[in-house]
C-alpha cells in the first residue's frame, strides 16, 4: 500500500466503511491498481479511475501482481509508449494464471485506435476490459459487467457532454491537477491526440472553480490547470460561456488557500497579450511558460500545420520576456519530422540558441497511423536523425546549465513537495518558475512555502539551503 496523507486516509477510510458494509475485512477487501502512461491529462484521468474504484470498495494498491483489478491507462503519442504497454500487459498473463479471478483492464488513448483495440481483443485473451477515454466515467458499470465474467469493449467515439462529479483520489498535496478542457482541434500533422481525444470541450468555469475550492479545503496549495491548448479555453467552438483563459486564471487566483497556479499547454499561435498580462500581474500565477515550438524551420512548421513561423514565435516570446523578464520558458521539439532536412535541423538549433530555453523536451518523430504525416516519406535516415537528436541535447544541456548557474546565490521561494528521490535527508520542491530544488530539511516542511538559498546548479535541478 502506498503512503497516504490524512486527507486521503479519510477518503480511504470512507472506502473501508463501504468495504465493511459488504462484510469484508480490510485484509480481505479487494485491491485495485491503476498504472499510468503519458501526459498529465492521463495522470488526472487515473486519479478519477482510483476515485471510482475507491467508491466501489476497492483499496488502492501500487502492485499490479497482487491486485484483484489492474487497469493500464495508456498513451498513444509515440510508439515507445505503446510498446511499453504491450510488454507490461503481456507480463501480467502469469499473474492471472495464478489468480484467474483477476480482472485486467486497458484504457486510455491507445484503445481509441481501432488497430490497437483489435490487437488486444484477438491476441491478449487475458485482458477482460478495454475502454477509451470517452468511456472513463462508466468504469463502475463496465467493471460490474466484467465481474460477471463478460469481456467488455467500449471504444466508441464521442465528443459529447463532459461528465462532472466523478470522485477523485488525488496524489497527496500540495499539487492538484485540474483539467479545464478536453480534446484538441489543432490537428498538427504528426499528432494522434485529436483522433483519440476528440474535439475540444471546455468545462464550465463554475465546475472548475468548485474543484479548485475543494482542493484548497483538502490542503492542496498549487493547482495545475490542464488542457492540450489552454489558450482556446472558452472559445465559442468548444464552450457556451464567454470566459477567456486569462479571465479563468484570474478567477482561480481568488481561491483562498491556493498559493500557486500553473497551466499547460499553451499553443504559441494563440498566445495573447491578455494572457501575458495575467501572468505578469497575478502574484499567484507561476512565472513559467511551456511554449512548444516543435521546429525552427518555417517549412517544417508549415508541414506540421502549427500555424506560426519561427519569427512570429520569437515575437511572442520576446513580448513575454519584455513583460516578465524572470520567466522560465520550456519547449517541446520533434527531431526527424519526415520533411526535415539537415538544413531545417540547423534552423532548429539556431532557434534554441536564440530562445535560450530553461529546458527542452525533445522527441524523435514517431509515425502515428492515421495522421497526415504518416503518409510523408522520411527525408533523413535513422542514423542522421539520431545524430541530430544527440547534437540538440548537447546544445540545449549547455544552455540549461548556464541558465541554472544564474540562480546560484539567489533566494527562491520553494513549495515543498516531498522527500528527494535520491537522498532521504533532502527535501524537494519547486521555484515559481518550476525549477526543481533539493535542500536539507524534514518532512514537516511538505506543503509549505519556504525561502531557500541556491548554492549549486546542475543541468536539470538546483541545490539549496533552507534560510532561517
Ligand atoms: N498539446 C500539447 C502536447 C501534446 S503531446 C502541445 O501541443 O504542445 C506532447 C508533445 O509530444 C508534443 O508537444 C510533441 O513535441 C510530442 N509529439 C506529439 N506527437 C509526436 C509524434 N508523433 N512523434 C514524436 N513526438 C510527438
Ligand atoms: Fe497534438 Fe498539436 Fe493538439 Fe498539441 S496542439 S495535442 S501537438 S494536435
Ligand atoms: Fe496524453 Fe498520450 Fe493521450 S500524451 S492525451 S496520454 S496520447
Amino acid at each position: 500500500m502506498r503512503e497516504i496523507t490524512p486527507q486521503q486516509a479519510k477518503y480511504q477510510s470512507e472506502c473501508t466503511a463501504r468495504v465493511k458494509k459488504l462484510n469484508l475485512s480490510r485484509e480481505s477487501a479487494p485491491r485495485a491498481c491503476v498504472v499510468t502512461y503519458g501526459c498529465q491529462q492521463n495522470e488526472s484521468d487515473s486519479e478519477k479511475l482510483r476515485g471510482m474504484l475507491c467508491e466501489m470498495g476497492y483499496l488502492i494498491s501500487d502492485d499490479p501482481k497482487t491486485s484483484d483489478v489492474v487497469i493500464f491507462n495508456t498513451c498513444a503519442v509515440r510508439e515507445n509508449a505503446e510498446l511499453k504497454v504491450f510488454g507490461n500487459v503481456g507480463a501480467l498473463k502469469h499473474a492471472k494464471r495464478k489468480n484467474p479471478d483477476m480482472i485486467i483492464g486497458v484504457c486510455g488513448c491507445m484503445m481509441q485506435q481501432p488497430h490497437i483495440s483489435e490487437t488486444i481483443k484477438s491476441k491478449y485473451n487475458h485482458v477482460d476490459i478495454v475502454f477509451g477515454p470517452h468511456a472513463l466515467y462508466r468504469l463502475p458499470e463496465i467493471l460490474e459487467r466484467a465481474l460477471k465474467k463478460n469481456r467488455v469493449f467500449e471504444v466508441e467515439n464521442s465528443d459529447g457532454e463532459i461528465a462532472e462529479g466523478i470522485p477523485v483520489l488525488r496524489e497527496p498535496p500540495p499539487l492538484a491537477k485540474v483539467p479545464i478542457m478536453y480534446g484538441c482541434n489543432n490537428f498538427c500533422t504528426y499528432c494522434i491526440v485529436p483522433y483519440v481525444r476528440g474535439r475540444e470541450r471546455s468545462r464550465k468555469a463554475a465546475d472548475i472553480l468548485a474543484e479548485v475550492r475543494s482542493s484548497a479545503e483538502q490542503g492542496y496549495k498549487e493547482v495545475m490547470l490542464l488542457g492540450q491548448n489552454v489558450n482556446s479555453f472558452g472559445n465559442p467552438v468548444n464552450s457556451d460561456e464567454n470566459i477567456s483563459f486569462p479571465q479563468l486564471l484570474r478567477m482561480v487566483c481568488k481561491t483562498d488557500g491556493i498559493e500557486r497556479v500553473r497551466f499547460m499547454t499553451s499553443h504559441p499561435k494563440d498566445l495573447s497579450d491578455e494572457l501575458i498580462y495575467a501572468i505578469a500581474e497575478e502574484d499567484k500565477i507561476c512565472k513559467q511558460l511551456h511554449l512548444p515550438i516543435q521546429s525552427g524551420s518555417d517549412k517544417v512548421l508549415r508541414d506540421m500545420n502549427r500555424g506560426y513561423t519561427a519569427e512570429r514565435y520569437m515575437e511572442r516570446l520576446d513580448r513575454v520576456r519584455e513583460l516578465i523578464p524572470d520567466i522560465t520558458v520550456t519547449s517541446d521539439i520533434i527531431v526527424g519530422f519526415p520533411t526535415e532536412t539537415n538544413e531545417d535541423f540547423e534552423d532548429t538549433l539556431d532557434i534554441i540558441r536564440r530562445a535560450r530555453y530553461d529546458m527542452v523536451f525533445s522527441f524523435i518523430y514517431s509515425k502515428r497511423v492515421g495522421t497526415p504525416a504518416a503518409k510523408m516519406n522520411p527525408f533523413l535516415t535513422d542514423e542522421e536523425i539520431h545524430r541530430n537528436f544527440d547534437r540538440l541535447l548537447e546544445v540545449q544541456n549547455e544552455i540549461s546549465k548556464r541558465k541554472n548557474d544564474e540562480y546560484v546565490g539567489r533566494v527562491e521561494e520553494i513549495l515543498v513537495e516531498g522527500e528527494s528521490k535520491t537522498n532521504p535527508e533532502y527535501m524537494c520542491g519547486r521555484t515559481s518558475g518550476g525549477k526543481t530544488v533539493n535542500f536539507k530539511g524534514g518532512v514537516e516542511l511538505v506543503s509549505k512555502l519556504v525561502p531557500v538559498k541556491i548554492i549549486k546548479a546542475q543541468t536539470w535541478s538546483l541545490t539549496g539551503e533552507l534560510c532561517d
Side-chain angles (χ1 to χ4, degrees):
M1 292 279 121
R2 72 172 135 159
E3 285 295 309
I4 52 175
T5 61
Q7 290 86 3
Q8 289 190 337
K10 187 168 156 272
Y11 196 82
Q12 286 241 354
S13 75
E14 283 168 22
C15 299
T16 313
R18 273 185 216 102
V19 169
K20 276 201 189 121
K21 236 194 262 164
L22 299 170
N23 274 336
L24 297 166
S25 69
R26 200 181 154 86
E27 285 64 40
S28 62
R31 278 153 169 67
C33 174
V34 180
V35 185
T36 316
Y37 306 81
C39 65
Q40 305 265 6
Q41 180 61 61
N42 249 23
E43 295 282 352
S44 164
D45 284 351
S46 286
E47 293 181 346
K48 292 198 177 87
L49 292 169
R50 293 192 191 100
M52 287 185 277
L53 288 162
C54 211
E55 288 242 305
M56 292 178 79
Y58 287 91
L59 292 173
I60 304 303
S61 162
D62 276 345
D63 180 14
K65 285 197 209 69
T66 56
S67 292
D68 303 279
V69 173
V70 183
I71 297 182
F72 293 93
N73 190 10
T74 65
C75 169
V77 85
R78 281 173 291 276
E79 192 186 13
N80 50 9
E82 297 193 331
L83 294 176
K84 237 189 264 168
V85 169
F86 281 122
N88 292 347
V89 172
L92 266 196
K93 209 171 189 170
H94 187 65
K96 176 129 178 176
R97 222 174 274 143
K98 275 212 256 167
N99 173 14
D101 288 335
M102 179 190 243
I103 292 193
I104 301 176
V106 193
C107 68
C109 296
M110 259 175 93
M111 296 307 113
Q112 210 63 51
Q113 305 174 97
H115 69 285
I116 302 271
S117 45
E118 282 306 319
T119 304
I120 297 275
K121 200 174 194 170
S122 58
K123 299 211 173 105
Y124 290 73
N125 289 324
H126 62 300
V127 171
D128 305 280
I129 302 176
V130 169
F131 60 105
H134 304 290
L136 180 108
Y137 71 99
R138 289 174 43 210
L139 174 69
E141 167 223 318
I142 291 174
L143 191 50
E144 288 293 340
R145 277 157 58 201
L147 287 166
K148 289 182 189 138
K149 302 280 173 205
N150 297 308
R151 255 188 129 194
V152 188
F153 284 80
E154 294 288 351
V155 289
E156 75 286 3
N157 256 312
S158 147
D159 298 326
E161 292 280 298
I162 294 173
E164 291 291 350
I166 303 174
V168 186
L169 186 62
R170 295 182 195 282
E171 291 298 316
L175 316 180
K177 293 179 271 289
V178 178
I180 62 166
M181 57 194 302
Y182 299 96
C184 182
N185 287 0
N186 289 307
F187 289 95
C188 303
T189 55
Y190 50 80
C191 185
I192 196 73
V193 172
Y195 303 90
V196 294
R197 286 274 174 177
R199 295 294 63 73
E200 279 173 6
R201 283 103 60 209
S202 291
R203 286 179 76 189
K204 296 218 174 323
D207 291 328
I208 297 166
L209 294 171
E211 186 172 343
V212 172
R213 259 195 312 275
S214 100
S215 308
E217 282 157 12
Q218 290 166 20
Y220 289 87
K221 295 283 186 282
E222 178 176 313
V223 286
M224 164 77 97
L225 305 180
L226 299 175
Q228 295 300 344
N229 174 17
V230 290
N231 294 333
S232 61
F233 174 83
N235 186 310
V237 303
N238 66 50
S239 166
D240 46 23
E241 293 185 316
N242 195 17
I243 299 172
S244 69
F245 178 57
Q247 284 171 328
L248 176 78
L249 271 175
R250 290 185 195 264
M251 291 175 185
V252 170
C253 287
K254 293 202 175 75
T255 314
D256 287 337
I258 294 299
E259 314 268 3
R260 285 181 168 186
V261 181
R262 281 185 212 282
F263 58 86
M264 73 186 294
T265 296
S266 184
H267 196 303
K269 77 177 164 52
D270 304 316
L271 177 66
S272 64
D273 276 0
E274 193 195 351
L275 176 61
I276 306 175
Y277 292 136
I279 305 171
E281 288 164 12
E282 293 284 345
D283 286 341
K284 289 187 183 178
I285 303 184
C286 292
K287 306 308 173 217
Q288 173 189 17
L289 187 63
H290 184 56
L291 197 65
I293 189 166
Q294 312 295 359
S295 167
S297 149
D298 286 345
K299 182 199 81 194
V300 174
L301 286 170
R302 200 181 48 238
D303 293 347
M304 287 177 163
N305 188 32
R306 286 292 287 178
Y308 53 83
T309 59
E311 277 320 304
R312 165 80 181 147
Y313 178 97
M314 285 311 292
E315 178 276 318
R316 290 284 76 198
L317 183 54
D318 289 344
R319 183 84 177 127
V320 170
R321 288 202 168 124
E322 177 193 333
L323 293 171
I324 319 157
D326 261 356
I327 195 164
T328 297
V329 184
T330 55
S331 190
D332 291 347
I333 287 180
I334 296 179
V335 180
F337 183 80
T339 62
E340 185 178 76
T341 63
N342 282 323
E343 225 167 65
D344 295 317
F345 177 71
E346 291 301 327
D347 290 343
T348 298
L349 285 186
D350 280 348
I351 211 96
I352 69 168
R353 288 190 190 105
R354 271 174 74 192
R356 292 187 55 74
Y357 294 117
D358 289 86
M359 198 160 14
V360 165
F361 301 90
S362 44
F363 309 101
I364 288 183
Y365 169 75
S366 169
K367 186 171 169 174
R368 305 287 69 207
V369 174
T371 61
K375 295 193 195 81
M376 300 176 192
N377 289 326
F379 188 86
L380 295 177
T381 62
D382 280 355
E383 202 187 339
E384 286 171 304
I385 293 169
H386 279 90
R387 203 171 50 226
N388 287 344
F389 185 78
D390 290 344
R391 270 186 74 204
L392 186 139
L393 284 188
E394 209 178 294
V395 171
Q396 180 54 42
N397 284 353
E398 189 180 336
I399 299 171
S400 296
K401 174 69 166 62
R402 288 217 175 148
K403 292 220 80 161
N404 279 353
D405 283 341
E406 292 166 17
Y407 282 75
V408 175
R410 281 199 216 169
V411 174
E412 288 281 323
E413 190 175 57
I414 307 299
L415 178 59
V416 185
E417 291 174 11
E419 281 179 7
S420 145
K421 286 192 186 86
T422 45
N423 184 343
E425 278 179 35
Y426 277 71
M427 299 306 289
C428 169
R430 268 169 220 276
T431 64
S432 161
K435 296 210 181 243
T436 302
V437 180
N438 294 299
F439 62 96
K440 249 187 196 152
V443 281
E444 70 286 355
L445 297 175
V446 172
S447 281
K448 297 211 165 70
L449 280 164
V450 295
V452 172
K453 184 170 182 183
I454 309 302
I455 54 169
K456 208 170 137 212
Q458 291 83 237
T459 308
W460 309 108
S461 66
L462 302 166
T463 308
E465 271 171 4
L466 191 61
C467 298
D468 290 336

